[in-house]
Amino acid sequence: KQEVTQIPAALSVPEGENLVLNCSFTDSAIYNLQWFRQDPGKGLTSLLLIQSSQREQTSGRLNASLDKSSGRSTLYIAASQPGDSATYLCAVGPPGDDKIIFGKGTRLHILP
Amino acid sequence: EPEVTQTPSHQVTQMGQEVILRCVPISNHLYFYWYRQILGQKVEFLVSFYNNEISEKSEIFDDQFSVERPDGSNFTLKIRSTKLEDSAMYFCASSWDRKNQPQHFGDGTRLSIL
């Protein structure tokens, strides 16, 4: 059964720093992996989608990498800003399934 | 940018009552989903819907749950006889493609069962 883990559960960093959020999954047989952002009381905003054949995806200051064989993905945020404060969720898409399986998220706080 | 909209934002219901949560997916999307998030827990998949029928459902999605696309724009989740443990945030999502495009989520409906 696929399990998705995100460590740490919470992270505080000063504004301007580059940072890395981690995601690990137990079954390397995935079709894709998606990173989301969730603001308090709000829905999930899709940030990046990486297909299993890809190693990374970039969007602005965000870069997501995927190492399927080791069951890991990272989300790199460059030059962090207070507006980046949110919970970041990682979710994997198993092959053959419609569903995506979520981690519990990392709650990020950027200190002004 | 097109978005998924959900109504109401908050629903309070007595235990045992029926509740219908409503969603308007992005207009050209073909795949529709419901997820839920119990407070402090992970987001969990409930059901997917394509071509006017359920495509996949989880163990959570038992006989008390049903989904419907009554017209060309709305997608609903019905819980027939609510239980206390149904209290959660319910998210609707849609995607244009089953696997190669991201799922886009609404802001959710907070369901509180008294």
Side-chain angles (χ1 to χ4, degrees):
Chain A
K1 182 187 169 188
Q2 179 72 271
E3 294 284 344
V4 181
T5 303
Q6 293 184 250
I7 296 173
L11 182 64
S12 293
V13 300
E15 180 180 1
E17 283 198 6
N18 304 324
L19 60 100
V20 174
L21 305 180
N22 296 297
C23 171
S24 61
F25 45 96
T26 54
D27 187 347
S28 62
I30 67 168
Y31 192 93
N32 58 30
L33 184 145
Q34 199 167 352
W35 281 93
F36 293 88
R37 169 188 173 134
Q38 185 176 27
D39 292 284
K42 292 288 192 177
L44 284 66
T45 301
S46 177
L47 297 173
L48 291 162
L49 172 72
I50 311 177
Q51 302 297 344
S52 62
S53 58
Q54 297 174 321
R55 296 296 296 235
E56 64 179 335
Q57 281 283 347
T58 298
S59 176
R61 294 183 294 109
L62 306 180
N63 176 277
S65 69
L66 174 64
D67 184 344
K68 219 172 62 154
S69 60
S70 68
R72 292 183 184 177
S73 175
T74 61
L75 179 67
Y76 174 84
I77 302 177
S80 58
Q81 303 169 358
D84 295 330
S85 298
T87 296
Y88 290 80
L89 301 174
C90 167
V92 302
D97 288 357
D98 293 347
K99 65 175 173 283
I100 53 179
I101 300 170
F102 284 84
K104 211 169 177 182
T106 293
R107 192 169 62 255
L108 177 65
H109 182 47
I110 305 299
L111 304 165
Chain B
E1 185 176 325
E3 56 182 29
V4 176
T5 56
Q6 292 185 242
T7 55
S9 57
H10 190 190
Q11 174 82 44
V12 181
T13 301
Q14 292 286 332
M15 186 172 61
Q17 296 295 306
E18 174 183 286
V19 66
I20 297 176
L21 309 183
R22 302 181 192 279
C23 170
V24 179
I26 294 173
S27 63
N28 64 343
H29 283 186
L30 303 176
Y31 296 83
F32 314 110
Y33 315 85
W34 284 101
Y35 292 80
R36 78 172 185 191
Q37 185 177 31
I38 295 171
L39 189 65
Q41 298 189 23
K42 295 181 179 183
V43 176
E44 302 173 286
F45 171 79
L46 293 178
V47 67
S48 60
F49 192 86
Y50 170 71
N51 201 25
N52 283 319
E53 59 183 23
I54 290 174
S55 177
E56 182 181 337
K57 61 182 181 179
S58 72
E59 293 172 353
I60 303 167
F61 194 88
D62 62 20
D63 291 346
Q64 292 300 309
F65 291 87
S66 62
V67 289
E68 194 177 34
R69 188 155 161 83
D71 53 42
S73 59
N74 291 284
F75 180 50
T76 62
L77 174 69
K78 182 194 290 187
I79 309 175
R80 272 181 254 288
S81 178
T82 50
K83 308 183 189 74
L84 293 176
E85 54 265 36
D86 294 327
S87 295
M89 182 74 91
Y90 287 79
F91 293 108
C92 173
S94 69
S95 62
W96 183 80
D97 167 285
R98 183 168 168 262
K99 288 302 249 185
N100 296 310
Q101 297 295 323
Q103 295 183 17
H104 295 268
F105 283 69
D107 280 349
T109 293
R110 179 167 299 284
L111 178 62
S112 300
I113 307 300
L114 304 178

